[in-house]
Amino acid sequence: MEKVRLGIIGIGNMGTNHAKSIVEGRAPEVELTAVADRRESRRTWCRENLPENVAVFEQAKDLMASGLCDAVLLSIPHYQHPELSIAAMDQGLHVLCEKPAGVYTKQVRAMNDHAAKSDRVFAMMFNQRTNCVYRKMHELVKSGELGAIKRVNWIITDWYRTQSYYDSGDWRATWDGEGGGVLLNQCPHNLDLIQWICGMPSRVQAFCHNGKWHDIEVEDDVTAYLEYPNGATGVFITTTADAPGTNRFEITLEKGKLVCENNELILHKLAVSEREFCKTAKGGFDKPECTVTKVETDGLNEQHIGVIKAFAGRILHGTPLVAQGEEGINGLTLSNAMHLSSWLGHGVDLPFDEDLFLEELNKRRSASRKKETADVVFDTSGTY
């Protein structure tokens, strides 16, 4: 096999972007051979804008059974991710799944169990892991050179969305169609990164405000408090309604502090561990010596195309993925815990009761409103 023959299922906002990137040759070891979308308008767009040799299907099952693909990229509503991932593996296809892995951990756990029994490559589209700044944060924290984490703060409010964005699809921003709001749509990247870099917390308490700033039934404003097994604490704040927004990720450790903001990583490094200094300093107002430097990185930030290239590399050469598919459950565990905490009105321990979460989610799904919307696809370039 010289190239991976890829089929894209779902030609909406992100699926369209992926199709364009591959047709432009940005992933040299990938060939787009088929697409599928239930909407006639998107199939028409594919016929008019993609090469003639790209087959166009209405149903995902027909694309999977066509024999035209070695792998599929799933860019569809969230509830369908586990179901179609499993179906694709059963057809002998490799799977690259858009975020989030699913809507609730119980369905994703079943998907992961299925993947563990398959010999197919299974990957998640966690494109923010390709960002040189986040990769460097991961490297520095996991190396241990800065000691244990004491505090984590991430205010990520630059996911601004207008009402027209939410009105662009009948599944968007509904419990039954999307399964959540900012936590399920925009923040899977941030929730993945915070666990990838800092590890999983042991307890979460969150306040999720539904339709606070938009005419939607799901959350568009969230503040969450995290507790970690070693006693560290964290705060995670997000919304789709702040303009201008903020993206500041700060990790305080025993031997310093990392601050990620404006695409830069600043290291505040202590000459001696704070824990040691606290116990040995003679002056009550003494502070440990600290040097502040901008951390150098390799400057690479390939985003989605980097994930696609790594996916092809794993299939063809056995080289590493950006993110294993099974890792998708971690960030989803955080968002599920935040939702459940907010619904119940108190903190929840991890692991949480997955059956209780599904029961509470289904209550909201049963009352979910049906939306009449225009069929709109936006250009996602530069929005991530």
Side-chain angles (χ1 to χ4, degrees):
M1 185 191 305
E2 295 182 358
K3 286 191 175 186
V4 174
R5 299 176 303 157
L6 183 70
I8 298 178
I9 299 174
I11 307 297
N13 290 349
M14 289 310 307
T16 300
N17 184 62
H18 298 324
K20 289 178 179 178
S21 295
I22 294 167
V23 168
E24 291 168 1
R26 296 181 60 202
E29 294 187 313
V30 178
E31 178 185 3
L32 183 64
T33 54
V35 295
D37 200 292
R38 291 175 177 174
R39 294 166 294 175
E40 176 59 35
S41 62
R42 299 313 299 154
R43 296 197 299 277
T44 298
W45 180 91
C46 291
R47 295 186 186 101
E48 293 176 350
N49 292 276
L50 298 178
E52 291 183 1
N53 62 344
V54 177
V56 180
F57 295 90
E58 179 178 357
Q59 299 296 331
K61 62 182 177 63
D62 295 328
L63 180 151
M64 292 180 189
S66 69
L68 297 173
C69 305
D70 306 304
V72 292
L73 194 169
L74 304 180
S75 187
I76 48 182
H78 308 151
Y79 280 105
Q80 300 174 38
H81 289 177
E83 173 190 352
L84 289 188
S85 291
I86 290 171
M89 292 176 206
D90 285 345
Q91 284 282 354
L93 299 171
H94 306 286
V95 176
L96 174 54
C97 184
E98 264 289 357
K99 55 78 184 170
V103 174
Y104 52 97
T105 53
K106 194 168 185 179
Q107 66 170 172
V108 172
R109 199 172 301 284
M111 174 179 69
N112 285 355
D113 289 345
H114 204 85
K117 299 171 186 175
S118 170
D119 65 351
R120 301 294 83 183
V121 173
F122 179 37
M124 282 298 302
M125 182 62 84
F126 285 139
N127 48 282
Q128 293 293 348
R129 289 198 192 184
T130 69
N131 187 316
C132 54
V133 176
Y134 296 132
R135 285 190 284 110
K136 180 58 73 170
M137 292 182 82
H138 177 266
E139 176 188 323
L140 289 170
V141 171
K142 296 302 182 184
S143 73
E145 65 181 90
L146 297 174
I149 293 174
K150 296 172 62 184
R151 188 178 309 280
V152 179
N153 294 292
W154 201 344
I155 176 169
I156 172 66
T157 60
D158 63 351
W159 291 118
Y160 186 72
R161 297 293 186 268
T162 63
Q163 186 64 42
S164 64
Y165 168 84
Y166 289 112
D167 293 342
S168 67
D170 59 5
W171 64 283
R172 286 195 183 280
T174 64
W175 291 115
D176 196 42
E178 191 163 21
V182 63
L183 291 177
L184 260 290
N185 195 313
Q186 287 76 36
C187 283
H189 293 300
N190 311 103
L191 294 174
D192 172 65
L193 287 170
I194 203 170
Q195 67 82 29
W196 185 55
I197 295 169
C198 303
M200 290 289 285
S202 54
R203 186 172 175 81
V204 172
Q205 180 148 10
F207 303 89
C208 303
H209 300 271
N210 298 332
K212 184 174 183 179
W213 307 109
H214 304 87
D215 181 19
I216 57 175
E217 64 186 37
V218 294
E219 81 285 350
D220 59 0
D221 194 302
V222 177
T223 298
Y225 169 72
L226 315 175
E227 293 180 358
Y228 289 85
N230 73 336
T233 58
V235 176
F236 183 85
I237 298 171
T238 191
T239 182
T240 53
D242 281 7
T246 297
N247 184 353
R248 182 180 174 92
F249 185 13
E250 186 173 304
I251 306 172
T252 300
L253 304 102
E254 292 173 321
K255 299 179 182 178
K257 179 173 69 173
L258 292 167
V259 179
C260 176
E261 191 171 22
N262 298 323
N263 297 313
E264 290 185 347
L265 181 60
I266 305 299
L267 170 62
H268 303 247
K269 189 165 186 179
L270 302 180
V272 62
S273 167
E274 181 278 327
R275 290 289 75 205
E276 177 184 344
F277 187 87
C278 179
K279 296 171 184 176
T280 58
K282 302 304 181 184
F285 298 96
D286 290 351
K287 290 184 179 180
E289 181 184 342
C290 179
T291 56
V292 181
T293 58
K294 178 181 175 181
V295 179
E296 294 298 322
T297 70
D298 61 17
L300 298 177
N301 185 12
E302 289 193 298
Q303 291 292 318
H304 300 90
I305 204 66
V307 176
I308 294 171
K309 287 162 66 175
F311 178 58
R314 181 60 163 265
I315 295 168
L316 297 172
H317 315 297
T319 47
L321 294 168
V322 171
Q324 298 275 357
E326 292 84 352
E327 295 180 71
I329 199 169
N330 297 331
L332 184 64
T333 296
L334 292 180
S335 65
N336 279 187
M338 290 177 188
H339 275 136
L340 186 60
S341 170
S342 189
W343 296 339
L344 300 179
H346 58 69
V348 299
D349 293 326
L350 275 63
F352 56 84
D353 186 332
E354 293 183 339
D355 291 322
L356 177 59
F357 176 86
L358 185 54
E359 178 184 333
E360 291 293 329
L361 173 63
N362 284 338
K363 288 179 186 177
R364 287 153 181 83
R365 293 185 71 180
S366 65
S368 190
R369 66 183 180 179
K370 302 302 179 185
K371 294 167 56 180
E372 295 294 332
T373 62
D375 183 12
V376 178
V377 172
F378 295 111
D379 183 357
T380 61
S381 303
T383 64
Y384 39 82

